[in-house]
Amino acid sequence: MEESMTVIHNCRRKRIATEDQERKRKRTDGINNLTDDTLCYILSFLSTKEATRTSILSKRWKNIWKSTGSIKLDIDEVLGVFPHVNTTPNQRAEEFFRVVTKCLCENFNPLTKTLHLHLCSVLPDAHVLYYWFSLMMRSHLDNLVLDFSGAPRHCPIPYNLLFPKGDELRLKSLSLTHCDILRPLNTVSNHYCSSLVSLALSDVILPKNFIDFIASYPLLRCLTIQDCSIENMEMKILCGGFKPLRVLGLRCMKLTQELVDNLLTNFSLLEQLSLDDCAIMPFDSSPLEIRGPINLNCLEVSKCRGLKELRVFATRLERFALISKDGMDLLPRVTFKLLDDDCSDFSSIQGKGSLLRQLELQCIEFSIDLPQFSCLETVRLEQVHLEEEYITVLLSNCLLLEKLSIIKCDGLPLLSIIGPSLQLKQLTVCWCNHLKKLEICEMNLVQLEYHGELIVFSLREVSHLVSVEMEIDTDDDNSLIHVLTILSRDVPRLETLIFYIEGGKVPESFPVFYTLKHLVLFLGRYVKVTKEFSWATNFLATSPLLEIFQLQLSRCLLEDPILRTDKPTLSAAWQFTNQYLKEIELLGFRGDDKEIEFACNLLQNAKSSLKMMKIDGGSKHRAGSHTAAPPAEWVQSGRQKSLKEIKSRIDAVPVSVELVIL
């Protein structure tokens, strides 16, 4: 009996040990726990050569790269940038063509829908292109990218290649770069590609009858033209126009008023138009007029050279963005005027108010008649000269305004957001040099973001304000505490706080945040190495309901031996009590003794409620930005060292706490 009980007990111990090992393996080996679809999505960002290398990892990985949905082949990556001494260009070309053909024939998966080819040193002959396209027809590709950038000349693309007989090519998206479309100029073709929806042309020599070329795609909805020469095209107007096109983007182009009029007349049902980094010809003071599409609802004009004045005739325009190429201090600035289709000003009194909902201006003369644009919901002003009366008129006339961003604007000493009927929910104010006071009395405001110098803050009746991001360029600890006191006292429902600390002493008394649930703390370069965790623990100790805590450690003082004069001594003041803290994230971690001790204290003080602690060697400079990659030392040795040190200093990490070290 005793022997059987011993055997059962040993079996139970082995089973528990096996379960513990399996649980630990799943924690450490996270990539193998991902589904095949997730792995295919990750591999889709790699080239085909890089993705195929994963086939040697295990049996599971052997065929995953074939299901990524895309094939990306670059001749320099496949054959190497520096060819063998005895290899001729023709041999190099033939070898790459064999690789492409093999991928299309042998390794092609029915799930593959995208083919991306980059040939920068050799150009395929016409018969090679015809053979590739015949293979694509059998494969039912949806997206095709042919990139010949870097080649000594434009690659000739026969017209019959893009419009095969019988409409066998079922492409939905086509992108051509650095090529020459060889289409007969004096004959009209009856061939069409009835499946293409999106067409992108970059550095392409276009035929003169460009409008007929576009009309050969009866379902085309999105057209992007970049760095192409179309100023010599025939000014032809199609009978009834080309109605399927909805989105047109022109980038790095030479545009004339006649060319713009011809395009907009043919694309009569265009909804979105984008002009980016274009040259407006001729370079004189004559205005550029945008008129024609009756359904135009989105217009973006960015950094166009030679543009002095812009006139837009669009009754249904809902989003308008105008960004000047010149800086704020360079005059004259671009002026603009928004008119309706009848070439008259909008008038809300006559029932012809504008439908404009989003307005974005950068380095532009602020000359809009705000009473005529009462439907505005989002306004972004950057490097625009403003006066106090402009904001007053904006708030009093645009009662539907929900988001207002004022960035690097001058001439505004006082910003007052006051109004009983305002719908403003998000307010962003960044680096306005002349601003001295920010006054807010708006009960619907939900999110406030401020970056700049120390100013006077007045917050009244902000009962719905729950998220605040504050960056003040000062190292005066008294000023920082004064701002924190205002937030604690005047924002009764504050739940999320993003705060930047550039320097200063740790104050003796801290305001209490009774409703704060999410705290993000950025420590700047001038925070002393012995005081950075004291700032953090003071916030933790005065936020009793805090659930999520994120800390970006200061890096400059830890890495610079000249600035680091204080020794990393441990402090009993790091103790705090919090029964609701669920998630902790430490960014910019390097694994020194002080940081490890602080991480251990966090685990011990919050272990009753804590569910996850994440330690990351990467860093962030701003909230919402991407996390920068950690240094090589952290990846090679710092990560494992930190994990070992934390486990050695704590008796046992609670099972309920997930410790993640990236």
Side-chain angles (χ1 to χ4, degrees):
M1 185 69 179
E2 294 180 357
E3 293 180 356
S4 61
M5 292 298 296
T6 304
V7 172
I8 295 174
H9 182 67
N10 292 336
C11 293
R12 185 178 300 173
R13 289 180 59 185
K14 291 181 179 179
R15 180 176 57 82
I16 295 175
T18 304
E19 292 177 354
D20 293 340
Q21 292 178 358
E22 182 68 17
R23 191 181 300 109
K24 292 180 180 179
R25 186 190 66 81
K26 288 184 177 181
R27 283 187 178 183
T28 56
D29 189 13
I31 191 168
N32 283 329
N33 296 328
L34 300 178
T35 62
D36 290 349
D37 294 339
T38 305
L39 295 177
C40 290
Y41 176 76
I42 296 174
L43 294 181
S44 65
F45 293 95
L46 305 177
S47 64
T48 301
K49 183 177 180 180
E50 294 173 334
T52 53
R53 292 175 178 173
T54 61
S55 61
I56 65 174
L57 297 178
S58 64
K59 292 182 179 179
R60 182 193 177 192
W61 285 83
K62 184 176 181 180
N63 296 318
I64 286 182
W65 71 273
K66 296 182 180 180
S67 303
T68 56
S70 63
I71 296 179
K72 301 177 183 179
L73 297 176
D74 189 331
I75 184 172
D76 286 341
E77 185 176 3
V78 174
L79 304 182
V81 179
F82 302 101
H84 194 269
V85 178
N86 298 326
T87 303
T88 63
N90 292 334
Q91 293 175 345
R92 180 178 171 86
E94 291 177 0
E95 184 179 356
F96 181 72
F97 297 159
R98 284 196 298 268
V99 173
V100 176
T101 304
K102 184 177 180 180
C103 286
L104 291 176
C105 295
E106 299 180 6
N107 298 327
F108 198 86
N109 191 294
L111 299 177
T112 302
K113 298 299 181 182
T114 301
L115 175 62
H116 188 144
L117 300 180
H118 184 202
L119 298 90
C120 59
S121 56
V122 295
L123 297 179
D125 297 333
H127 71 277
V128 175
L129 288 175
Y130 275 109
Y131 182 63
W132 284 353
F133 268 72
S134 64
L135 296 176
M136 296 175 198
M137 294 175 190
R138 303 173 191 172
S139 306
H140 302 289
L141 283 174
D142 289 341
N143 310 308
L144 175 61
V145 179
L146 296 178
D147 186 359
F148 304 98
S149 58
R153 57 186 176 86
H154 290 75
C155 179
I157 303 292
Y159 163 76
N160 294 333
L161 202 64
L162 301 178
F163 304 97
K165 294 182 179 180
D167 199 16
E168 298 175 350
L169 191 62
R170 306 299 299 176
L171 288 177
K172 295 181 180 179
S173 174
L174 175 62
S175 176
L176 301 176
T177 302
H178 197 63
C179 60
D180 184 2
I181 300 177
L182 303 179
R183 178 179 179 180
L185 300 180
N186 298 323
T187 60
V188 179
S189 175
N190 295 323
H191 298 304
Y192 295 90
C193 183
S194 60
S195 61
L196 198 67
V197 177
S198 175
L199 176 62
L201 305 173
S202 177
D203 190 18
V204 176
I205 300 178
L206 301 175
K208 291 185 178 180
N209 49 0
F210 174 71
I211 298 298
D212 289 332
F213 171 75
I214 296 300
S216 300
Y217 300 101
L219 296 182
L220 188 64
R221 295 181 62 87
C222 180
L223 174 62
T224 304
I225 308 175
Q226 177 178 347
D227 199 17
C228 299
S229 178
I230 60 174
E231 60 266 17
N232 296 324
M233 79 173 192
E234 296 177 356
M235 298 302 172
K236 179 180 179 180
I237 298 178
L238 298 175
C239 181
F242 184 72
K243 296 182 179 180
L245 195 66
R246 295 293 185 269
V247 181
L248 175 61
L250 303 177
R251 178 179 173 83
C252 302
M253 305 283 293
K254 293 182 179 179
L255 302 178
T256 62
Q257 184 66 62
E258 183 182 9
L259 177 60
V260 173
D261 291 341
N262 185 266
L263 292 175
L264 297 183
T265 303
N266 283 289
F267 308 142
S268 56
L269 296 183
L270 195 67
E271 296 179 357
Q272 300 181 26
L273 175 62
S274 174
L275 307 179
D276 187 10
D277 201 12
C278 295
I280 309 300
M281 308 294 290
F283 293 102
D284 54 17
S285 58
S286 58
L288 176 65
E289 296 184 351
I290 305 294
R291 68 171 73 207
I294 59 176
N295 293 331
L296 187 65
N297 56 38
C298 179
L299 175 61
E300 298 180 8
V301 182
S302 175
K303 302 179 181 179
C304 289
R305 301 180 301 276
L307 181 63
K308 303 301 180 184
E309 183 179 354
L310 178 66
R311 295 180 183 177
V312 182
F313 302 87
T315 303
R316 300 185 180 182
L317 191 66
E318 296 184 2
R319 186 182 186 278
F320 176 65
L322 179 57
I323 300 174
S324 174
K325 185 177 180 63
D326 298 329
M328 183 177 179
D329 299 330
L330 299 180
L331 296 176
R333 298 180 186 175
V334 179
T335 60
F336 69 96
K337 198 168 187 179
L338 301 180
L339 307 170
D340 62 7
D341 294 334
D342 299 330
C343 304
S344 58
D345 293 338
F346 290 104
S347 176
S348 58
I349 299 177
Q350 299 176 3
K352 296 173 58 179
S354 171
L355 300 178
L356 189 67
R357 299 181 183 276
Q358 299 182 29
L359 175 65
E360 180 179 354
L361 302 177
Q362 181 176 345
C363 299
I364 304 298
E365 190 69 28
F366 192 82
S367 58
I368 187 172
D369 190 2
L370 290 172
Q372 300 177 4
F373 299 91
S374 57
C375 294
L376 279 173
E377 296 178 356
T378 302
V379 175
R380 176 185 171 90
L381 306 176
E382 183 173 353
Q383 295 185 3
V384 177
H385 179 77
L386 295 176
E387 296 181 4
E388 185 179 351
E389 60 181 14
Y390 293 166
I391 304 300
T392 304
V393 174
L394 175 67
L395 297 177
S396 60
N397 289 276
C398 305
L399 299 180
L400 301 179
L401 187 66
E402 295 184 357
K403 186 175 181 180
L404 175 61
S405 300
I406 302 175
I407 303 172
K408 298 180 181 179
C409 296
D410 61 357
L412 190 65
L414 172 63
L415 178 58
S416 298
I417 310 296
I418 299 176
S421 59
L422 293 180
Q423 299 296 323
L424 190 66
K425 293 181 173 57
Q426 298 182 26
L427 175 63
T428 301
V429 182
C430 297
W431 308 109
C432 296
N433 295 331
H434 297 164
L435 188 62
K436 302 300 181 183
K437 183 178 181 180
L438 176 59
E439 185 178 4
I440 300 176
C441 181
E442 210 282 287
M443 62 179 301
N444 292 318
L445 190 66
V446 176
Q447 180 177 344
L448 171 63
E449 180 178 351
Y450 175 80
H451 303 265
E453 298 180 354
L454 180 64
I455 61 174
V456 178
F457 293 94
S458 176
L459 305 178
R460 296 181 289 111
E461 299 182 8
V462 287
S463 57
H464 289 80
L465 184 59
V466 296
S467 177
V468 175
E469 180 175 349
M470 195 75 66
E471 178 182 8
I472 299 178
D473 189 13
T474 181
D475 56 357
D476 185 7
D477 56 313
N478 293 326
S479 301
L480 294 177
I481 289 300
H482 178 67
V483 174
L484 291 174
T485 303
I486 293 177
L487 295 177
S488 174
R489 180 191 62 201
D490 299 336
V491 186
R493 296 180 57 184
L494 182 62
E495 296 182 359
T496 301
L497 175 61
I498 304 174
F499 203 76
Y500 299 78
I501 299 176
E502 294 297 331
K505 300 179 181 179
V506 181
E508 297 180 357
S509 60
F510 240 70
V512 181
F513 296 91
Y514 292 101
T515 59
L516 192 63
K517 296 181 180 180
H518 186 183
L519 173 62
V520 182
L521 190 59
F522 286 83
L523 299 178
R525 56 178 298 179
Y526 297 111
V527 178
K528 289 187 177 181
V529 70
T530 55
K531 305 296 179 61
E532 53 185 0
F533 293 131
S534 298
W535 277 101
T537 49
N538 281 338
F539 272 102
L540 291 171
T542 55
S543 305
L545 299 181
L546 192 65
E547 297 180 359
I548 301 176
F549 174 60
Q550 295 172 276
L551 175 63
Q552 169 62 60
L553 301 174
S554 59
R555 289 270 57 87
C556 179
L557 294 177
L558 291 176
E559 297 173 355
D560 194 335
I562 298 178
L563 295 176
R564 184 172 180 171
T565 56
D566 298 327
K567 295 183 179 180
T569 57
L570 304 181
S571 174
W574 291 357
Q575 303 295 329
F576 65 94
T577 302
N578 191 302
Q579 300 179 357
Y580 298 92
L581 194 59
K582 299 178 181 179
E583 182 178 340
I584 297 176
E585 181 177 5
L586 303 179
L587 295 172
F589 205 85
R590 293 297 180 268
D592 61 10
D593 292 339
K594 177 177 60 62
E595 293 176 339
I596 292 175
E597 182 68 19
F598 179 70
C600 294
N601 285 338
L602 291 178
L603 280 172
Q604 292 176 349
N605 293 329
K607 61 183 179 181
S608 60
S609 60
L610 192 63
K611 294 183 178 180
M612 185 181 72
M613 170 176 278
K614 180 179 178 182
I615 298 177
D616 195 345
S619 58
K620 286 185 179 181
H621 298 287
R622 288 288 182 270
S625 62
H626 295 287
T627 304
E633 311 85 59
W634 169 258
V635 177
Q636 295 173 359
S637 60
R639 181 190 304 167
Q640 297 297 330
K641 176 185 175 182
S642 299
L643 179 61
K644 183 178 180 180
E645 287 291 332
I646 291 176
K647 289 186 175 181
S648 65
R649 298 191 185 190
I650 297 180
D651 297 335
V653 178
V655 180
S656 60
V657 178
E658 182 181 0
L659 182 60
V660 180
I661 300 182
L662 301 177

